[in-house]
Amino acid sequence: VATIISLLSASTVAYVVAKYKFFGRNVLYVLAIIVMIVPSVGSTSATYKLIGDLGLFDNPLALLLLYSGGFGFQFLLLYGVFRSISWSYAEAAYVDGANDFLIFFKIMLPMAISSLIPLGVLNFIGFWNDYFTPFLYLKSQPTLAVGLQAFVNQMEYDANWPALFALMLFSMLPVIILFIIFQKQIMSNITTGGLKG
């Protein structure tokens, strides 16, 4: 769910900034670069206070809110993708009576799917392996990464190596399955990028 929300928010922001002319568009682009420069650890205290003020401690909605940012690497990549798509497709759709919502979801987003799939896989891996955020905000609902670390900490007193390796293998399974499913799209995207370079 976090992967879908993250991709949707980043692609929406990137599309609007890339294709529509409005006051402050360049400021948003610069802001996206600044967001990438500032380390996320530097904003942890402010984020912690925000989640506390919203009353979202120990609530999975906190993670979805934190993962749904529209800026960063995804924004910059999708901004370039949407800039490279000709606006004549949208003009033809306007003539046929389509609105901005339909143009984005029916024309522009499907044309960017070759970039969205690798981004989605990277996002899924990042969210699946994220230790710090669930550890900080979901105390009574630990994720697999948090549970694995807790198991490692417990091994100081009772070493159970077979169980640890079984847990590590189990934690890698979704990522391996995801890669097997989307390996053609990922590899074709890398090959195309290499040919263009």
Side-chain angles (χ1 to χ4, degrees), residues 4-195:
I4 293 168
I5 291 175
S6 175
L7 283 179
L8 192 60
S9 63
S11 59
T12 305
V13 174
Y15 172 70
V16 169
V17 174
K19 290 298 184 186
Y20 293 95
K21 292 181 181 177
F22 57 90
F23 178 75
R25 182 175 76 157
N26 294 331
V27 174
L28 285 175
Y29 186 78
V30 172
L31 182 66
I33 295 173
I34 291 172
V35 165
M36 290 183 64
I37 294 171
V38 176
S40 59
V41 178
S43 63
T44 301
S45 57
T47 306
Y48 193 84
K49 185 177 186 315
L50 174 67
I51 296 299
D53 291 343
L54 292 174
L56 292 176
F57 275 120
D58 214 16
N59 190 334
L61 288 175
L63 296 188
L64 294 180
L65 179 67
L66 294 174
Y67 291 149
S68 65
F71 289 123
F73 170 72
Q74 296 179 98
F75 167 81
L76 291 178
L77 182 72
L78 292 170
Y79 175 83
V81 170
F82 287 124
R83 288 277 292 189
S84 66
I85 298 174
S86 174
W87 189 244
S88 59
Y89 296 107
E91 291 173 347
Y94 280 130
V95 171
D96 289 338
N99 57 22
D100 293 318
F101 184 82
L102 282 175
I103 289 170
F104 175 65
F105 282 101
K106 297 281 186 175
I107 297 171
M108 296 296 179
L109 211 56
M111 292 180 81
I113 198 73
S114 62
S115 298
L116 287 170
I117 289 175
L119 271 179
V121 172
L122 288 174
N123 275 351
F124 179 83
I125 293 171
F127 297 150
W128 181 260
N129 291 328
D130 187 12
Y131 169 78
F132 182 71
T133 311
F135 176 76
L136 205 58
Y137 301 111
L138 286 180
K139 289 292 184 184
S140 66
Q141 304 174 55
T143 60
L144 193 58
V146 176
L148 190 59
Q149 181 61 42
F151 189 81
V152 170
N153 293 341
Q154 187 182 358
M155 280 184 59
E156 294 178 5
Y157 310 103
D158 181 24
N160 189 351
W161 295 105
L164 175 64
F165 289 126
L167 278 173
M168 290 170 67
L169 183 63
F170 181 72
S171 69
M172 291 188 313
L173 272 178
V175 175
I176 293 169
I177 291 169
L178 194 68
F179 179 77
I180 290 170
I181 293 170
F182 292 109
Q183 67 178 336
K184 288 183 181 177
Q185 288 87 348
I186 294 170
M187 298 311 289
S188 66
N189 201 36
I190 291 169
T191 306
T192 305
L195 291 174

